[in-house]
Amino acid sequence: MVTFCLTRYKSGLFFQGSAVARRAKPTMLTNVCAAGRPRLRPGMTNLPGYEFRRHIFSTCVFVCLSSIAANSLAQPAPYQSFDGPNTVWQLLDPRPGVQVLAHGCVTSDAREGTGSERLSVIAPPGESAHFICPVQSARVLDELEARMWVKANRPGVILGARVVLPRSIDSVTHRPKIVFIEGTQYDQVDQWQQLSLTDVPKQLAARIRVLRTTPGANIDPHEAYLNAVVLIVPGGPGSAAAVWTDELVVDGAMINAAEDRAPPTDSNVEQAAFVSGGDRTARVPLVQIQDTTVFVAGKPFLPLAIEWNGEPLAFLAERGFNSVWIDRPPTAEQTAAAERADMWFICAPPRPDSLAAGGLGVSLDRVLAWNLGTPGEHELDYFRRWAELVREKDPAPHRPILIAPQSDWLPCSKAADVLLASRPDSGGLSAADFSQWLDERVILSRPGAPFWTIVPTQPSQIVRDQIRVLAPRSKLPLTGDQRQVEVLARAAGIHGCRGFLFQSTTPLNAGDDASRRRALALESVNRSLQIVEPWLTLGTKVGEAKATGSPATAAILQVERTRLLVLDARPSDAKPPAKSVVTPPPVNLTFIVPGVPDSNQVFFLSPAAMEPLASKRVAGGVQFTLDRNAADLVLLTEDPNVIANFRERVAREGPRAARRERDRLAARINSGGADAARLKQSGVDVTAYQQAVGAANSQIALCDAALNQGNIQQAFQLASAAYANLASASDQIPQKSSGVATLTSLPSAGLSDNFTDQFEIETTLKSLRPGDNLLSGGEFEDLGQLVQLGWQNVNQPLPGVQPKAELSTESPHSGRYCLQLSAQAVPPAAAPQIVARPLVRITSHPVHVTTGSVIEVSGWVRVPKPIVGNIDGLTIVDSLGGAELELRIRQSPDWQPFRLIRGVSETSDESVSFVLNGLGTASVDDVAVRVLGSPTARRLPATATASAPPAPAPQSAGLPVLSAPLNQR
C-alpha cells in the first residue's frame, strides 16, 4: 500500500510517497487561474500506476488543502505594538552580572501608537543580555522576515530570532536543538531605527554548517521553524543601556502545522466537508484573512463589490461583481439569494449596544467582511471596542473587519484587519497622485496592513443637488468619468490593494442610457481585474519597466515565477490641463524587463486575446515591442499550465468581451453625438469631435464584420482603439468653451458625457454678475475684527512640527496684510517624510445663503515653494461643496485668483476654509463670498470727494489670527 502525504514547500505542493516522489505543479497561480483545480505536469500520466493514483489524488488534495487552510492560512502574521499595559520581552539568560534595572511600557516616547516598551539593562563588557518575544511558530521560508523599531542610548543592539530544529535532538536535553540567528545592528544612537531580520534560510544554513563541525553532530534542518524574536542588548562600561522597542512584525509566516495545530472546530469540519465535495447547502465555506489576502474555502478571493441599490444579485454577478456592499447584516432571504448567485455581503455590523444584546444576526453564511465605516473625531476608542465586540460575537473568528480612516491610520490599522482607502475627491486625482497617496497610507499604517480601495462611479448627492441648481436642464442620473474609474482601479491594483468597493448611488440596472453605459464600463473594469486576479491576491510588485524613447511605464507584478506587466494610464486617460492639446499616445512601445529567464515566453493579454510576442535577450533583460492598441498587459512565464489556463479563459470569455467593448463604443457614440449636436446649435465649435464620431462609426461597422467572421481579437481591438480616440477628442470640447480661471471648482467637473451641462453652467455664469461681498474680514487687515466676527483657527499639532497662522506684511496682494499659513519642522533635519493630517485650518464666519442662489467664493492665493509631505498642499474647501469639490494648490509662485461656484439646493450657511496639509508656507488675500445674479440698472450716486480710509490699527507681522485656547481642538 502506498501512503501519500502533502507537504507545503515554498509556493509549490509536493506529493511524497514511499516508492515515488514527484512534484505536482498546482502552483498557487495555476490554482487561481483554474478555479482551484490541480493539474499535473505533461508526461506524469505515463507514470506506472497513474490511473490508480489519479483517483487517490483528488481526495488527498482536498483533505490536505482544507488542513492547510485551517492550520496555516487562518493565522495572522505575528505583530506586537508594545502599547502596553503588559510587557512583552522576557529575559532569556540571567547570567552573572546581567541586571535589569527597569522594564515597563512608557507613553512618553513612542514612534507610533500610544507607547513603547523600555528596558534598562546592565551587562559586563563583552557580554550581552538576551530578551525573547515568543511568537507563533513559523516555518523557515524565503519569505520569512522580521522588522522592529528600536531606539537606544548606545549602538550595538541586534534583532535576532530563535529557530527550532525538530529533527535534531540534543543528546543532553533530549529536546530539539535551538539555533540563534542575527539580523541588522542598531547604530543611530538616540534615534528610532528599524532593524530587520531577512534571508532566514540562508543564515540558518550558515549556522548549521558551523554546528556540523562538531564531531558526532547529526544536524537535520528539515521542518525548522522560528518560535521567538530575540533582542540582544550589548554590555559595556559606564551607565546602563536604555532601549525602547516599538512595532514588531513578522511577515511571510507560514504557521507550523506540526507545532501549532489547533484542535478541530465545527468551522474546520464544515470547511473540509465543503472542499471535499460535501453538501453545499448544508456546509458554509470558511472566510478568513491571511496576511493581506482573503481566502474563501481555502482559495484566494478578490473582492469586487458594489454598493447595493436593490439590483438582482444575479444581474450584478453577470457584470463581474462577487460581493455587494450594504449597511446592515443580510436577511435570510438575501442570504439565500446570494447563495444562488454565488455572491457575498460586505456589511455593517450592529452597533455595540445592539450587538451586545442581540448578537450579529442569524444569516451570516454569506458575509465576507464587516465594514465599520469611518471613525469621526474622537471616535477611535469607540471603533476599537466595536471591533473587539464583533470578533467576540462572530462565529467565524477570522472574518475580516474593515475600517475606512480619514486620519489616525496607524491606530485604525491596529484595530482593523483591512483598511479601506478612500478619498472624497479621488474622481479628480491623476493616477500618479492617487498612487502616491496610496503609498503614503501604507507607510502611515502598521507594517503588512492590507488595503482595499473605494472607487466612486457617480458624483455624490451634494454634487447632484448643486447641478440641479446650476444646470436645471441637466440629464439625470449623472454618471462619473468612467475612464477615471479604470485609472483608479488600475493604480490601486498596481500598488497592492487586495479588494475593490465601487460606490454607487442609483441602481445599475435602471433603464436609462447613463445607467447602461455605467454597467458596461464597470463590467469591463471587473473583467480586466479578474484577468490579473492571481497577482492582485497573491502577487507583489517587484519593479517597473520604462518604455524606450517614451514616457510610458509599466509595473512588474510577480507570483512565483510568472510575471505580469501592467501598463500605466494612457495620456488620454487623464484629464488634460486647461487649454492644452492632447497628444495621441505612441502605439508601439518597447520594453526591457530585467531578471527574466531565457525559458520564459512572452504574451500580450487582453480580455479577448492572448498572443505571443516576439522577444529577444539583450543587455539588461528581455526586450519586446507591444502595440498598445492591442493590450495593456504582458504575461511572462515558463509554466505551461499557466499558459493553458489563460488560453482557455480567453477562448471562453473573449466573444463576450469583444461584444461588450463594441456596445460601450456604440453607447458613447450615441450619447456624445447627441450632446455635440446640441452644443453646435449653441455656437460651440465641435467639428473635430464630430469627425471623431464619424470615424468611430466606421470602426463600429468593421467591428461588427469581424464579430460575424469570428475574429474576436480584431473586433475587440477595433472597438477599444476607437473608444480611446473618441474619449481623447471629447476632452477638447469643454476646453474650447471654457473661459473661467485656472483655479476654479465647478460641480460639473469630472463627470462624463456632460458637455451640455458644462456649457450650460458656463453660459449661465457669463450672464450673471456678482453682488455685494457677504464675507467680512476677508481682506485680513484687522486682527480684532477677525476675532470678533468669528473666524476660527484650528491647529492639529504634530510632534516635531510647528504650525502657525498669522497676518503677514510679506507682499500682500492688496492692503497692508495678508493671511499666511505655515508649518515648519523643528529642527528642520527631523522633518517627517509624510504629514498624516492637516496642520493648520482657518475657517471663515458663516454666511447665510438661500435656496436657489448661485454663490461665488473668490480670492487670491500664493504658494511660493512646493508644499511637501502631503500631496494636497493647500486646500480651499467650502461647506456647500465639501471635500469632493475642494481646490488643491501645491505651488503658485505669484498671486493667482481662485473661484468656487456653488449652487444652493436648500437654505443654509456657507463658510470657506483654508487648510495647510503639509510643510511649507501659503498666503491668502481678498477673500469674498457673493451671490451671482442677473444685472440690473442702478442709479449712479452723486460724485463726491473721497476721504482717505482710516489707517488700520498697528499690529505686528506674525501675530496669531486667533489665540491657541480659542476654538482649539
Side-chain angles (χ1 to χ4, degrees):
M1 177 177 179
V2 180
T3 303
F4 285 83
C5 64
L6 185 63
T7 305
R8 172 78 176 171
Y9 178 75
K10 288 195 177 179
S11 300
L13 297 175
F14 279 81
F15 290 87
Q16 298 176 333
S18 57
V20 62
R22 294 288 189 269
R23 182 176 184 182
K25 186 59 176 176
T27 62
M28 296 301 287
L29 175 63
T30 307
N31 282 342
V32 174
C33 295
R37 182 179 62 220
R39 294 186 175 186
L40 298 180
R41 282 191 181 275
M44 288 196 68
T45 56
N46 298 325
L47 291 176
Y50 166 74
E51 288 300 325
F52 166 72
R53 290 195 300 273
R54 183 171 61 85
H55 297 289
I56 301 176
F57 181 84
S58 298
T59 303
C60 291
V61 169
F62 289 136
V63 172
C64 294
L65 279 179
S66 63
S67 175
I68 290 172
N71 296 303
S72 296
L73 298 178
Q75 302 297 337
Y79 172 77
Q80 286 289 351
S81 65
F82 298 105
D83 286 344
N86 299 322
T87 58
V88 172
W89 294 112
Q90 306 169 17
L91 182 62
L92 178 64
D93 49 355
R95 305 174 185 176
V98 174
Q99 299 180 48
V100 179
L101 303 182
H103 184 193
C105 296
V106 296
T107 58
S108 58
D109 198 344
R111 183 188 177 275
E112 293 287 358
T114 60
S116 62
E117 189 163 329
R118 180 180 182 273
L119 292 158
S120 180
V121 183
I122 290 179
E127 296 285 342
S128 59
H130 292 68
F131 296 85
I132 65 168
C133 169
V135 297
Q136 196 160 16
S137 302
R139 296 174 182 171
V140 174
L141 302 173
D142 288 340
E143 298 84 359
L144 184 63
E145 64 177 55
R147 300 182 302 276
M148 183 175 67
W149 288 90
V150 171
K151 188 174 80 167
N153 64 350
R154 66 174 61 165
V157 177
I158 297 174
L159 178 66
R162 183 175 67 186
V163 178
V164 180
L165 307 178
R167 292 192 175 188
S168 303
I169 305 301
D170 190 287
S171 59
V172 177
T173 64
H174 303 290
R175 297 181 61 83
K177 284 186 176 293
I178 301 295
V179 176
F180 289 92
I181 58 177
E182 297 181 359
T184 56
Q185 187 174 123
Y186 179 83
D187 57 11
Q188 299 178 15
V189 177
D190 293 331
Q191 296 185 30
W192 285 104
Q193 178 183 350
Q194 190 176 47
L195 303 183
S196 62
L197 174 66
T198 58
D199 294 329
V200 177
K202 184 177 179 180
Q203 293 200 54
L204 178 60
R207 293 289 299 145
I208 288 174
R209 284 195 296 270
V210 174
L211 291 176
R212 285 174 174 168
T213 61
T214 303
N218 183 17
I219 307 299
D220 186 351
H222 291 87
E223 299 181 7
Y225 60 89
L226 182 153
N227 71 349
V229 174
V230 180
L231 179 69
I232 304 173
V233 181
S239 60
V243 182
W244 291 259
T245 61
D246 205 351
E247 297 294 321
L248 166 66
V249 63
V250 180
D251 275 339
M254 178 64 68
I255 302 306
N256 192 323
E259 289 297 315
D260 296 284
R261 190 182 304 277
T265 64
D266 292 341
S267 297
N268 294 343
V269 173
E270 284 184 336
Q271 185 192 14
F274 172 81
V275 175
S276 59
D279 182 4
R280 179 173 181 147
T281 61
R283 299 290 184 251
V284 180
L286 181 65
V287 176
Q288 53 194 5
I289 186 167
Q290 163 65 20
D291 293 336
T292 60
T293 303
V294 172
F295 287 82
V296 174
K299 295 187 293 185
F301 185 88
L302 178 67
L304 298 173
I306 187 169
E307 200 169 358
W308 197 21
N309 292 284
E311 304 96 324
L313 294 179
F315 171 86
L316 296 176
E318 290 176 356
R319 270 72 198 163
F321 295 101
N322 56 30
S323 311
V324 290
W325 179 14
I326 57 178
D327 58 2
R328 60 180 61 87
T331 64
E333 292 78 11
Q334 291 170 340
T335 298
E339 176 73 20
R340 291 190 297 269
D342 197 19
M343 295 282 284
W344 293 85
F345 293 102
I346 298 172
C347 54
R351 287 283 176 171
D353 292 344
S354 302
L355 186 57
L360 288 166
V362 296
S363 297
L364 307 181
D365 294 352
R366 302 299 295 186
V367 173
L368 180 72
W370 299 111
N371 181 13
L372 306 190
T374 300
E377 191 174 4
H378 309 305
E379 284 189 334
L380 184 58
D381 288 338
Y382 175 85
F383 270 65
R384 186 182 291 113
R385 291 193 297 270
W386 191 8
E388 292 172 354
L389 191 57
V390 170
R391 291 189 179 97
E392 177 184 332
K393 297 292 185 180
D394 195 340
H398 301 293
R399 198 182 337 249
I401 293 177
L402 282 56
I403 292 180
Q406 292 300 312
S407 60
D408 298 323
W409 288 83
L410 179 63
C412 284
S413 69
K414 296 178 180 179
D417 300 301
V418 176
L419 294 177
L420 288 176
S422 172
R423 282 184 62 106
D425 64 338
S426 59
L429 291 180
S430 67
D433 283 350
F434 187 61
S435 299
Q436 180 181 341
W437 181 78
L438 287 175
D439 290 341
E440 291 173 352
R441 302 313 99 185
V442 173
I443 296 174
L444 292 172
S445 306
R446 66 173 171 85
F451 280 79
W452 298 357
T453 187
I454 296 179
V455 180
T457 70
Q458 290 179 291
S460 68
Q461 191 61 46
I462 292 177
V463 174
R464 296 161 65 86
D465 289 341
Q466 290 205 24
I467 291 181
R468 285 190 176 95
V469 176
L470 296 173
R473 296 181 298 172
S474 172
K475 299 176 299 180
L476 295 176
L478 297 169
T479 180
D481 188 338
Q482 299 309 309
R483 289 175 297 155
Q484 182 72 357
V485 174
E486 297 173 13
V487 168
L488 295 180
R490 185 188 307 171
I494 290 174
H495 289 266
C497 286
R498 303 299 201 190
F500 301 82
L501 277 64
F502 295 92
Q503 287 180 321
S504 177
T505 58
T506 59
L508 200 61
N509 65 335
D512 58 279
D513 290 340
S515 296
R516 283 193 289 268
R517 291 194 301 273
R518 192 161 62 97
L520 286 168
L522 288 176
E523 182 180 355
S524 178
V525 171
N526 284 336
R527 300 306 181 189
S528 296
L529 291 173
Q530 288 170 356
I531 290 176
V532 299
E533 181 175 353
W535 292 271
L536 298 183
T537 54
L538 298 170
T540 56
K541 182 180 178 182
V542 296
E544 287 187 351
K546 188 178 185 303
T548 304
S550 169
T553 60
I556 306 174
L557 309 181
Q558 184 168 344
V559 176
E560 296 176 336
R561 296 171 296 165
T562 299
R563 295 169 177 82
L564 183 77
L565 263 68
V566 183
L567 272 66
D568 60 2
R570 303 184 183 207
S572 59
D573 288 340
K575 297 178 179 64
K579 300 183 181 180
S580 68
V581 176
V582 175
T583 302
V587 174
N588 293 325
L589 301 174
T590 299
F591 289 94
I592 299 177
V593 183
V596 179
D598 292 339
S599 56
N600 272 222
Q601 300 181 63
V602 183
F603 303 86
F604 76 73
L605 274 180
S606 76
M610 177 183 177
E611 293 295 333
L613 284 174
S615 62
K616 62 180 179 179
R617 174 67 58 181
V618 297
V622 170
Q623 176 181 297
F624 57 86
T625 299
L626 174 69
D627 180 355
R628 183 153 201 176
N629 285 335
D632 285 341
L633 303 173
V634 178
L635 176 70
L636 301 97
T637 186
E638 62 180 359
D639 193 329
N641 293 315
V642 173
I643 296 172
N645 278 298
F646 273 106
R647 288 197 187 281
E648 179 184 350
R649 180 180 195 134
V650 167
R652 182 178 66 251
E653 301 178 2
R656 180 181 174 92
R659 173 62 63 179
R660 179 176 62 247
E661 199 70 10
R662 183 261 181 216
D663 291 345
R664 284 185 67 200
L665 176 60
R668 180 77 188 223
I669 290 172
N670 291 337
S671 62
D675 286 343
R678 290 176 57 188
L679 290 178
K680 185 176 181 179
Q681 293 176 358
S682 301
V684 179
D685 183 6
V686 292
T687 303
Y689 182 73
Q690 288 182 321
Q691 291 174 352
V693 170
N697 267 319
S698 300
Q699 295 290 82
I700 283 279
L702 296 176
C703 180
D704 288 341
L707 285 172
N708 292 333
Q709 296 170 6
N711 195 335
I712 304 303
Q713 176 182 340
Q714 182 184 9
F716 181 88
Q717 183 175 343
L718 286 169
S720 179
Y723 188 91
N725 292 335
L726 190 58
S728 297
S730 70
D731 287 331
Q732 303 303 303
I733 296 179
Q735 298 175 45
K736 291 186 177 180
S737 61
S738 178
V740 297
T742 301
L743 295 179
T744 301
S745 172
L746 288 174
S748 60
L751 307 182
S752 64
D753 304 333
N754 67 329
F755 311 143
T756 54
D757 295 340
Q758 289 195 19
F759 181 76
E760 179 183 348
I761 291 174
E762 292 174 10
T763 301
T764 301
L765 293 178
K766 290 177 182 177
S767 66
L768 300 180
R769 297 293 180 269
D772 296 332
N773 181 15
L774 304 179
L775 183 69
S776 301
E779 304 85 2
F780 303 109
E781 296 294 326
D782 190 327
L783 174 65
Q785 180 191 36
L786 294 174
V787 175
Q788 183 177 6
L789 290 171
W791 284 72
Q792 296 183 354
N793 174 14
V794 180
N795 291 346
Q796 296 189 3
L798 191 67
V801 176
Q802 180 180 352
K804 185 166 53 176
E806 58 191 359
L807 298 186
S808 172
T809 59
E810 183 179 347
S811 303
H813 178 259
S814 66
R816 298 178 57 191
Y817 296 93
C818 64
L819 173 66
Q820 187 176 89
L821 312 179
S822 64
Q824 307 297 332
V826 181
Q833 178 184 0
I834 300 171
V835 177
R837 56 176 178 263
L839 299 175
V840 187
R841 176 188 291 266
I842 299 295
T843 302
S844 73
H845 66 81
V847 172
H848 191 69
V849 292
T850 57
T851 302
S853 301
V854 178
I855 304 298
E856 176 193 68
V857 179
S858 62
W860 293 80
V861 63
R862 180 183 63 198
V863 183
K865 296 181 180 179
I867 296 173
V868 299
N870 192 298
I871 67 168
D872 291 328
L874 174 74
T875 53
I876 304 174
V877 57
D878 70 304
S879 55
L880 289 176
E884 186 175 355
L885 296 177
E886 67 185 11
L887 275 178
R888 298 186 298 126
I889 303 103
R890 289 187 186 175
Q891 183 178 15
S892 177
D894 300 320
W895 284 105
Q896 188 172 5
F898 68 85
R899 190 186 191 204
L900 284 66
I901 304 299
R902 301 291 181 256
V904 183
S905 59
E906 60 182 24
T907 299
S908 60
D909 289 334
E910 165 76 327
S911 61
V912 58
S913 297
F914 305 93
V915 186
L916 186 64
N917 298 281
L919 302 179
T921 301
S923 300
V924 181
D925 208 354
D926 295 332
V927 180
V929 177
R930 296 181 172 91
V931 177
L932 300 180
S934 300
T936 57
R938 296 183 180 181
R939 181 183 298 276
L940 295 175
T943 59
T945 303
S947 58
Q955 49 191 335
S956 62
L959 189 64
V961 174
L962 294 179
S963 60
L966 185 59
N967 295 314
Q968 185 73 29
R969 295 184 185 177

